[in-house]
Amino acid sequence: MAIKPFLLMMIASLCPALACAESGYGLSAALSRAAPDADPQVIELAVQSAQCRMSTSGTSTTKLAVIDYSRPSNEPRLWVFDLDTRTLLFHELVAHGRNSGENLATQFSNEPDSLASSIGLYSTRETYVGRNGYSLRMDGLEPGVNDRAFERDVVIHGADYVSNDFARANGRIGRSHGCPAVPTAAARPVIDTLKEGQLVFIYYPDAQWLNSSTFIHCTPATTLR
């Protein structure tokens, strides 16, 4: 994509060549090896954001979900990692909001009733059973980008329209009201893995966000090796 050169320069600024060579990119390299079909540059940004959150909040996170909305909806674009064991736990389809786009998401919003997805870093909360069944509440951590997620009821839940069968019939999976909905069969195990203080990083190559996110541009950050 056109944003790639910008993203490459950003990664280079976050991890100078010598330090990266010595550490093998640390945790991000291990996660990229565990998920070879994920974009390693996106994994690097997710790890940087997670490091920042933990170092500035004093909290500890063991699970990290990465959603890459630069990819089409009919491809699995959700990865859930165990940071302690550096292993991939889930790789699933995930929906974007109805007003974010068709097969490709291109528009994002933090506004109530926008029916669009929001990018950025999230912290998970408690589970509940609602109109979409077993669901997981989240707090958006980036002001002006996703910090109205709880107010908007942006949650992780299962949906029948998130399936390969739906994608084959329609050229894309179904779309949500802004929630990162996952396949019905995967919902409970994914939610139980991510509940209560874990992190979700939702990526799209938005230049303004990439330039301004305080989690991506965080100094200092605790290095996870």
Side-chain angles (χ1 to χ4, degrees), residues 40-221:
Q41 296 163 8
V42 173
I43 297 298
E44 179 72 15
L45 294 178
V47 168
Q48 167 67 13
S49 296
Q51 291 177 167
C52 179
R53 168 65 177 176
M54 284 186 274
S55 65
T56 57
S57 68
T59 58
S60 179
T61 296
T62 60
K63 307 298 188 302
L64 172 64
V66 179
I67 296 173
D68 186 352
Y69 276 150
S70 72
R71 298 194 174 197
S73 71
N74 56 1
E75 294 181 7
R77 52 183 180 171
L78 163 67
W79 296 262
V80 180
F81 298 99
D82 186 309
L83 299 182
D84 288 338
T85 62
R86 305 185 176 200
T87 55
L88 177 65
L89 303 177
F90 301 97
H91 184 201
E92 300 289 346
L93 295 168
V94 62
H96 56 252
R98 182 176 301 173
N99 287 340
S100 283
E102 293 288 333
N103 191 32
L104 287 168
T106 58
Q107 302 292 326
F108 301 90
S109 177
N110 194 35
E111 294 302 314
D113 302 317
S114 65
L115 305 186
S117 297
S118 300
I119 56 178
L121 187 67
Y122 296 75
S123 178
T124 64
R125 295 177 53 140
E126 71 280 0
T127 63
Y128 71 100
V129 177
R131 64 181 181 182
N132 292 305
Y134 193 56
S135 304
L136 176 62
R137 292 189 172 98
M138 300 190 295
D139 287 321
L141 302 176
E142 305 207 36
V145 176
N146 63 14
D147 61 338
R148 303 183 79 175
F150 182 77
E151 172 190 351
R152 294 177 58 205
D153 291 325
V154 173
V155 302
I156 298 175
H157 64 81
D160 291 340
Y161 55 74
V162 184
S163 69
N164 289 319
D165 288 343
F166 191 103
R168 280 190 290 268
N170 297 277
R172 60 166 172 77
I173 63 171
R175 297 166 299 168
S176 68
H177 286 182
C179 298
V182 298
T184 302
R188 182 169 289 273
V190 166
I191 287 170
D192 284 342
T193 297
L194 290 175
K195 66 185 179 182
E196 297 173 358
Q198 307 307 313
L199 294 176
V200 178
F201 180 81
I202 301 182
Y203 170 81
Y204 184 78
D206 180 270
Q208 181 176 354
W209 169 66
L210 288 169
N211 268 319
S212 63
S213 172
T214 57
F215 291 104
I216 291 174
H217 301 280
C218 181
T219 304

Side-chain angles (χ1 to χ4, degrees), residues 5-16:
F6 173 83
L7 185 54
L8 286 168
M9 289 193 306
M10 175 168 294
I11 296 298
S13 71
L14 291 172
C15 186

